[in-house]
Amino acid sequence: MSNLTIVLVHGAFADAASFEPVTRGLLDLGHEVVVPAVPNRSLLGDSAYIRSVVEKIEGPVLLVGHSYGGAVITVAGAADNVVGLVYLSGYALEEGESLGQLQGGFPDSELAANLVYTPFPNPGAEDGTDVSVKVEAFPHVFAAGIDPAISEVLAVAQRPLAALAFSEAAPVAAWKTKPAFGIVSAADHTINPDVERFGYTRGNFRRVIELDAPHLVMRALPQDVIQFIVEAAAEVV
């Protein structure tokens, strides 16, 4: 194996465990893997945190972002040792664009009608707002195609995303200077698949594939995702 490290970045309403089947598969193949916990507090803060993780890694890094994690790697991917970006059902933001702006150009997915907004304390400032998915809607909207016993656990263990993350603009778009690869989840109920297609197309991604997969593509089709990541890794080292 090369000295490349694959960093898996989870999205909203999930945590590092959402990558478990892919993490296990990559480790079994001998890859160096890091799966940090994203704070899910703000796009700028989350991106700065992931960049700090990346910059402590010796050698080149391939950043893999799922869903909101795609927006995070779009910004964090500007780190000098990042050699490529992989988007899984992800948001590929343009420089100066927010999640809200990108999504606003397309019809809503089923997620929009199934969100819960909950205030949380923010010492020294106004209270923030956590955004999560209705527990009863989670298995269909977010975890369709997953073992129901697992989706029920994921629903009650979801990691909310602060509403601030939807309005912050990306200060940089790393896909403009780094090779990028993308998977479109064609059966996605969380993100309109056209949002994924649009971001990947305007970014002139090196390779894009479509899978008949739900939003949690890395749990529904882990072997396909592992193969895609490994092939991307081979292209950037």
Side-chain angles (χ1 to χ4, degrees):
M1 288 294 155
S2 71
N3 64 340
L4 177 79
T5 298
I6 299 170
V7 176
L8 305 175
V9 181
H10 70 79
F13 323 129
D15 59 18
S18 62
F19 274 108
E20 189 275 331
V22 169
T23 303
R24 182 69 266 164
L26 291 172
L27 290 172
D28 288 345
L29 291 172
H31 292 279
E32 295 291 331
V33 183
V34 175
V35 195
V38 182
N40 282 3
R41 297 294 82 186
S42 70
L43 176 60
L44 298 183
D46 295 341
S47 301
Y49 174 72
I50 293 301
R51 180 166 180 162
S52 76
V53 171
V54 166
E55 291 179 331
K56 290 180 177 68
I57 296 172
E58 292 187 11
V61 168
L62 178 68
L63 272 178
V64 180
H66 173 250
S67 188
Y68 167 67
V72 173
I73 70 170
T74 296
V75 181
D80 289 342
N81 60 330
V82 172
V83 294
L85 309 165
V86 176
Y87 291 75
L88 310 176
S89 321
Y91 293 104
L93 296 177
E94 173 62 278
E95 183 175 335
E97 183 179 56
S98 70
L99 283 170
Q101 289 172 324
L102 176 55
Q103 289 193 138
F106 298 86
D108 286 340
S109 69
E110 292 180 55
L111 176 68
N114 289 285
L115 293 174
V116 178
Y117 301 88
T118 307
F120 66 84
N122 192 10
E126 292 184 14
D127 285 355
T129 301
D130 264 338
V131 183
S132 58
V133 184
K134 292 177 182 176
V135 170
E136 63 273 20
F138 190 97
H140 169 67
V141 172
F142 194 81
I146 309 301
D147 181 341
I150 293 175
S151 67
E152 287 178 2
V153 172
L154 297 177
V156 298
Q158 59 182 292
R159 191 183 190 113
L161 179 66
L164 176 62
F166 292 94
S167 60
E168 289 184 323
V172 63
W175 49 258
K176 290 188 172 183
T177 56
K178 312 286 176 80
F181 309 80
I183 291 180
V184 174
S185 292
D188 201 329
H189 297 293
T190 300
I191 300 175
N192 183 333
D194 284 339
V195 174
E196 301 165 25
R197 296 182 184 106
F198 173 76
Y200 303 166
T201 300
R202 72 172 172 185
N204 193 28
F205 280 23
R206 184 172 292 187
R207 192 159 72 91
V208 174
I209 65 170
E210 294 214 9
L211 297 176
D212 184 18
H215 187 63
L216 284 178
V217 59
M218 64 279 202
R219 277 195 169 269
L221 297 173
Q223 292 306 315
D224 296 83
V225 172
I226 291 167
Q227 180 179 347
F228 190 77
I229 293 171
V230 168
E231 289 175 353
E235 286 195 41
V236 299
V237 294

